[in-house]
Amino acid sequence: RVNEHTGTHIDAPLHFTDGGTSIDEVPIESLVCPLAIVDIREKADANEDAQVTPDDLKAWIAANGPIPQGACVAQNAGWQARLGTPRFRNADDEGKMHFPAFHVEAVKMLIEEADVAGVAVDTLSIDYGLSADFATHYTWLPANRWAVENMANLDELQATGATLVVGAPKHQGGTGGPCRLIALV
């Protein structure tokens, strides 16, 4: 038995797509890719419900050039500092969680304008904590792309220049699973 969606893990398209690509079918060549890190730590410090927006992606492109072909675009919200504390899930008195992630319009932009293999977040989900409809998951994964959640150590890397190696599981028909990430610099 494998608990697919805990800790640092990968979501395969099948996770939110009937008939989508399962984790054992994700092409290995897409799991070794350039890493593009979008730093939203200031936004997340000011607003725990912050999201990576198209404007954040445009600012990254203006500063770093085009997003590399086949890249993983990762959000750095500085959330790793909260790991092991209740502030990581960041639930309010009503049990609603507050944490940053990708805005649905940002992933639409990546689908339409960039040849990107995956997205990643240093939080629990590619949908921000208050999401009730999982719009980002339902937009991104059916586009036959993968996502990594609960990424760590992004503070140790530059915005560009690293190659990400995603050690994904290959259990047949899986919607995702625990993964080990290595950044080559």
Side-chain angles (χ1 to χ4, degrees), residues 6-11 31 33-38 71-83 88 99-100 102 118-126 146-159 162-167 177 179-184:
T6 59
T8 302
H9 66 276
I10 186 170
D11 289 353
L31 299 172
C33 57
L35 180 60
I37 301 171
V38 179
C72 172
V73 178
Q75 162 206 280
N76 182 5
W79 227 246
Q80 178 179 337
R82 298 170 179 236
L83 192 61
F88 189 78
F99 55 80
F102 278 86
V119 294
V121 292
D122 58 347
T123 56
L124 290 167
S125 175
I126 62 170
W146 50 262
V148 169
E149 296 166 333
N150 299 308
M151 198 171 196
N153 300 318
L154 291 169
D155 292 345
E156 297 178 23
L157 301 169
Q158 300 294 318
T163 297
L164 181 66
V165 179
V166 182
C179 66
R180 186 150 194 190
L181 307 173
I182 300 169
L184 305 172

Side-chain angles (χ1 to χ4, degrees), residues 100-180:
F102 278 86
H103 191 281
V104 67
E105 293 301 323
V107 295
K108 285 180 183 177
M109 179 181 165
L110 291 172
I111 291 167
E112 295 167 6
E113 299 178 23
D115 181 15
V116 174
V119 294
V121 292
D122 58 347
T123 56
L124 290 167
S125 175
I126 62 170
D127 279 286
Y128 80 120
L130 288 176
S131 175
D133 61 4
F134 295 99
T136 299
H137 273 88
Y138 280 114
T139 300
W140 185 252
L141 295 174
N144 204 30
R145 289 165 166 88
W146 50 262
V148 169
E149 296 166 333
N150 299 308
M151 198 171 196
N153 300 318
L154 291 169
D155 292 345
E156 297 178 23
L157 301 169
Q158 300 294 318
T160 188
T163 297
L164 181 66
V165 179
V166 182
K170 60 178 190 171
H171 52 282
Q172 187 176 9
T175 64
C179 66
R180 186 150 194 190

Side-chain angles (χ1 to χ4, degrees), residues 18-41:
D18 287 340
T21 302
S22 63
I23 193 61
D24 58 305
E25 299 170 328
V26 172
I28 291 173
E29 58 272 13
S30 79
L31 299 172
V32 178
C33 57
L35 180 60
I37 301 171
V38 179
D39 190 333
I40 64 161
R41 288 178 287 185

